[in-house]
Amino acid sequence: MIRDTIYRDIILEHARNPKNTGRLEKPGLTASVHNPLCGDELELSLALTGEIIHDCRTIVRGCSICQASASIMSEMIINKTLKEALITGDIFDDILHKNKEDVP
């Protein structure tokens, strides 16, 4: 129960005060995604030095969970290599799927 409250508080904080919002002027890499089921949209721009992400900005048009997720992700990948960022995403996916299997 305490863990759920901590997670909820973190998500609410990021939804209310998202980090790293906006668009980089001259990004080294950009991506856009759209979820047709709910309408959420995410625009991601990264500033790179070689393979290292030294800045990340997001523009989100969507729900609070989408906003919080983008904010958390942006903080997690700064100062990581592109490969480390992809691995971080894979680990996150694995955790979500594991938790989904644990729910009756």
PDB file of all heavy atoms in Angstrom, residues 32-49:
ATOM      1  N   SER A  32       8.052  11.264 -33.161  1.00  0.00           N
ATOM      2  CA  SER A  32       6.670  11.582 -32.819  1.00  0.00           C
ATOM      3  C   SER A  32       5.870  10.293 -32.817  1.00  0.00           C
ATOM      4  O   SER A  32       6.079   9.435 -33.685  1.00  0.00           O
ATOM      5  CB  SER A  32       6.062  12.549 -33.835  1.00  0.00           C
ATOM      6  OG  SER A  32       6.725  13.783 -33.823  1.00  0.00           O
ATOM      7  N   VAL A  33       4.992  10.161 -31.844  1.00  0.00           N
ATOM      8  CA  VAL A  33       4.117   8.997 -31.777  1.00  0.00           C
ATOM      9  C   VAL A  33       2.697   9.449 -31.464  1.00  0.00           C
ATOM     10  O   VAL A  33       2.481  10.492 -30.854  1.00  0.00           O
ATOM     11  CB  VAL A  33       4.587   7.955 -30.731  1.00  0.00           C
ATOM     12  CG1 VAL A  33       5.892   7.310 -31.153  1.00  0.00           C
ATOM     13  CG2 VAL A  33       4.711   8.573 -29.361  1.00  0.00           C
ATOM     14  N   HIS A  34       1.751   8.644 -31.915  1.00  0.00           N
ATOM     15  CA  HIS A  34       0.338   8.926 -31.689  1.00  0.00           C
ATOM     16  C   HIS A  34      -0.351   7.619 -31.337  1.00  0.00           C
ATOM     17  O   HIS A  34      -0.148   6.608 -32.013  1.00  0.00           O
ATOM     18  CB  HIS A  34      -0.276   9.523 -32.964  1.00  0.00           C
ATOM     19  CG  HIS A  34      -1.743   9.712 -32.878  1.00  0.00           C
ATOM     20  ND1 HIS A  34      -2.633   8.913 -33.565  1.00  0.00           N
ATOM     21  CD2 HIS A  34      -2.494  10.592 -32.177  1.00  0.00           C
ATOM     22  CE1 HIS A  34      -3.865   9.308 -33.301  1.00  0.00           C
ATOM     23  NE2 HIS A  34      -3.808  10.308 -32.467  1.00  0.00           N
ATOM     24  N   ASN A  35      -1.122   7.628 -30.272  1.00  0.00           N
ATOM     25  CA  ASN A  35      -1.907   6.464 -29.892  1.00  0.00           C
ATOM     26  C   ASN A  35      -3.326   6.670 -30.428  1.00  0.00           C
ATOM     27  O   ASN A  35      -4.085   7.479 -29.880  1.00  0.00           O
ATOM     28  CB  ASN A  35      -1.928   6.300 -28.375  1.00  0.00           C
ATOM     29  CG  ASN A  35      -2.666   5.062 -27.931  1.00  0.00           C
ATOM     30  OD1 ASN A  35      -3.501   4.523 -28.649  1.00  0.00           O
ATOM     31  ND2 ASN A  35      -2.373   4.619 -26.723  1.00  0.00           N
ATOM     32  N   PRO A  36      -3.695   5.947 -31.481  1.00  0.00           N
ATOM     33  CA  PRO A  36      -5.015   6.164 -32.077  1.00  0.00           C
ATOM     34  C   PRO A  36      -6.172   5.718 -31.177  1.00  0.00           C
ATOM     35  O   PRO A  36      -7.292   6.168 -31.363  1.00  0.00           O
ATOM     36  CB  PRO A  36      -4.976   5.331 -33.365  1.00  0.00           C
ATOM     37  CG  PRO A  36      -3.934   4.301 -33.124  1.00  0.00           C
ATOM     38  CD  PRO A  36      -2.931   4.927 -32.185  1.00  0.00           C
ATOM     39  N   LEU A  37      -5.888   4.874 -30.190  1.00  0.00           N
ATOM     40  CA  LEU A  37      -6.956   4.397 -29.312  1.00  0.00           C
ATOM     41  C   LEU A  37      -7.445   5.484 -28.361  1.00  0.00           C
ATOM     42  O   LEU A  37      -8.633   5.589 -28.088  1.00  0.00           O
ATOM     43  CB  LEU A  37      -6.497   3.176 -28.527  1.00  0.00           C
ATOM     44  CG  LEU A  37      -6.169   1.948 -29.375  1.00  0.00           C
ATOM     45  CD1 LEU A  37      -5.614   0.834 -28.498  1.00  0.00           C
ATOM     46  CD2 LEU A  37      -7.387   1.481 -30.143  1.00  0.00           C
ATOM     47  N   CYS A  38      -6.503   6.295 -27.841  1.00  0.00           N
ATOM     48  CA  CYS A  38      -6.905   7.318 -26.867  1.00  0.00           C
ATOM     49  C   CYS A  38      -6.631   8.743 -27.351  1.00  0.00           C
ATOM     50  O   CYS A  38      -7.090   9.703 -26.738  1.00  0.00           O
ATOM     51  CB  CYS A  38      -6.216   7.082 -25.525  1.00  0.00           C
ATOM     52  SG  CYS A  38      -4.428   7.306 -25.574  1.00  0.00           S
ATOM     53  N   GLY A  39      -5.851   8.876 -28.420  1.00  0.00           N
ATOM     54  CA  GLY A  39      -5.573  10.201 -28.963  1.00  0.00           C
ATOM     55  C   GLY A  39      -4.326  10.868 -28.414  1.00  0.00           C
ATOM     56  O   GLY A  39      -3.976  11.974 -28.831  1.00  0.00           O
ATOM     57  N   ASP A  40      -3.622  10.226 -27.472  1.00  0.00           N
ATOM     58  CA  ASP A  40      -2.404  10.817 -26.927  1.00  0.00           C
ATOM     59  C   ASP A  40      -1.357  10.985 -28.023  1.00  0.00           C
ATOM     60  O   ASP A  40      -1.221  10.136 -28.906  1.00  0.00           O
ATOM     61  CB  ASP A  40      -1.799   9.934 -25.830  1.00  0.00           C
ATOM     62  CG  ASP A  40      -2.621   9.922 -24.558  1.00  0.00           C
ATOM     63  OD1 ASP A  40      -3.498  10.793 -24.398  1.00  0.00           O
ATOM     64  OD2 ASP A  40      -2.377   9.041 -23.713  1.00  0.00           O
ATOM     65  N   GLU A  41      -0.615  12.098 -27.954  1.00  0.00           N
ATOM     66  CA  GLU A  41       0.462  12.372 -28.888  1.00  0.00           C
ATOM     67  C   GLU A  41       1.695  12.800 -28.113  1.00  0.00           C
ATOM     68  O   GLU A  41       1.595  13.527 -27.126  1.00  0.00           O
ATOM     69  CB  GLU A  41       0.085  13.495 -29.854  1.00  0.00           C
ATOM     70  CG  GLU A  41      -1.077  13.169 -30.748  1.00  0.00           C
ATOM     71  CD  GLU A  41      -1.461  14.312 -31.659  1.00  0.00           C
ATOM     72  OE1 GLU A  41      -0.681  15.280 -31.793  1.00  0.00           O
ATOM     73  OE2 GLU A  41      -2.562  14.250 -32.239  1.00  0.00           O
ATOM     74  N   LEU A  42       2.863  12.350 -28.567  1.00  0.00           N
ATOM     75  CA  LEU A  42       4.135  12.708 -27.945  1.00  0.00           C
ATOM     76  C   LEU A  42       5.120  13.103 -29.028  1.00  0.00           C
ATOM     77  O   LEU A  42       5.271  12.396 -30.027  1.00  0.00           O
ATOM     78  CB  LEU A  42       4.706  11.526 -27.155  1.00  0.00           C
ATOM     79  CG  LEU A  42       6.164  11.652 -26.687  1.00  0.00           C
ATOM     80  CD1 LEU A  42       6.305  12.732 -25.626  1.00  0.00           C
ATOM     81  CD2 LEU A  42       6.686  10.329 -26.188  1.00  0.00           C
ATOM     82  N   GLU A  43       5.750  14.237 -28.833  1.00  0.00           N
ATOM     83  CA  GLU A  43       6.850  14.668 -29.690  1.00  0.00           C
ATOM     84  C   GLU A  43       8.100  14.719 -28.814  1.00  0.00           C
ATOM     85  O   GLU A  43       8.099  15.341 -27.753  1.00  0.00           O
ATOM     86  CB  GLU A  43       6.559  16.045 -30.267  1.00  0.00           C
ATOM     87  CG  GLU A  43       7.628  16.570 -31.178  1.00  0.00           C
ATOM     88  CD  GLU A  43       7.326  17.966 -31.671  1.00  0.00           C
ATOM     89  OE1 GLU A  43       6.153  18.250 -32.008  1.00  0.00           O
ATOM     90  OE2 GLU A  43       8.268  18.792 -31.692  1.00  0.00           O
ATOM     91  N   LEU A  44       9.140  14.041 -29.242  1.00  0.00           N
ATOM     92  CA  LEU A  44      10.384  13.925 -28.481  1.00  0.00           C
ATOM     93  C   LEU A  44      11.512  14.531 -29.289  1.00  0.00           C
ATOM     94  O   LEU A  44      11.623  14.280 -30.486  1.00  0.00           O
ATOM     95  CB  LEU A  44      10.667  12.440 -28.222  1.00  0.00           C
ATOM     96  CG  LEU A  44      11.990  12.053 -27.584  1.00  0.00           C
ATOM     97  CD1 LEU A  44      12.002  12.459 -26.123  1.00  0.00           C
ATOM     98  CD2 LEU A  44      12.216  10.562 -27.722  1.00  0.00           C
ATOM     99  N   SER A  45      12.335  15.356 -28.661  1.00  0.00           N
ATOM    100  CA  SER A  45      13.539  15.854 -29.322  1.00  0.00           C
ATOM    101  C   SER A  45      14.723  15.677 -28.380  1.00  0.00           C
ATOM    102  O   SER A  45      14.625  15.940 -27.181  1.00  0.00           O
ATOM    103  CB  SER A  45      13.381  17.317 -29.759  1.00  0.00           C
ATOM    104  OG  SER A  45      13.058  18.172 -28.707  1.00  0.00           O
ATOM    105  N   LEU A  46      15.829  15.195 -28.949  1.00  0.00           N
ATOM    106  CA  LEU A  46      17.035  14.905 -28.175  1.00  0.00           C
ATOM    107  C   LEU A  46      18.209  15.701 -28.702  1.00  0.00           C
ATOM    108  O   LEU A  46      18.379  15.843 -29.918  1.00  0.00           O
ATOM    109  CB  LEU A  46      17.383  13.415 -28.264  1.00  0.00           C
ATOM    110  CG  LEU A  46      16.345  12.406 -27.812  1.00  0.00           C
ATOM    111  CD1 LEU A  46      16.850  10.999 -28.070  1.00  0.00           C
ATOM    112  CD2 LEU A  46      16.001  12.601 -26.352  1.00  0.00           C
ATOM    113  N   ALA A  47      19.030  16.190 -27.794  1.00  0.00           N
ATOM    114  CA  ALA A  47      20.316  16.792 -28.142  1.00  0.00           C
ATOM    115  C   ALA A  47      21.384  15.762 -27.808  1.00  0.00           C
ATOM    116  O   ALA A  47      21.406  15.226 -26.698  1.00  0.00           O
ATOM    117  CB  ALA A  47      20.533  18.076 -27.356  1.00  0.00           C
ATOM    118  N   LEU A  48      22.213  15.477 -28.779  1.00  0.00           N
ATOM    119  CA  LEU A  48      23.217  14.428 -28.630  1.00  0.00           C
ATOM    120  C   LEU A  48      24.622  14.984 -28.754  1.00  0.00           C
ATOM    121  O   LEU A  48      24.873  15.906 -29.507  1.00  0.00           O
ATOM    122  CB  LEU A  48      23.026  13.360 -29.705  1.00  0.00           C
ATOM    123  CG  LEU A  48      21.656  12.705 -29.804  1.00  0.00           C
ATOM    124  CD1 LEU A  48      21.568  11.866 -31.066  1.00  0.00           C
ATOM    125  CD2 LEU A  48      21.403  11.860 -28.578  1.00  0.00           C
ATOM    126  N   THR A  49      25.514  14.365 -27.989  1.00  0.00           N
ATOM    127  CA  THR A  49      26.946  14.542 -28.175  1.00  0.00           C
ATOM    128  C   THR A  49      27.465  13.137 -28.440  1.00  0.00           C
ATOM    129  O   THR A  49      27.564  12.331 -27.516  1.00  0.00           O
ATOM    130  CB  THR A  49      27.620  15.150 -26.932  1.00  0.00           C
ATOM    131  OG1 THR A  49      27.007  16.395 -26.640  1.00  0.00           O
ATOM    132  CG2 THR A  49      29.111  15.349 -27.170  1.00  0.00           C
TER     133      THR A  49
END
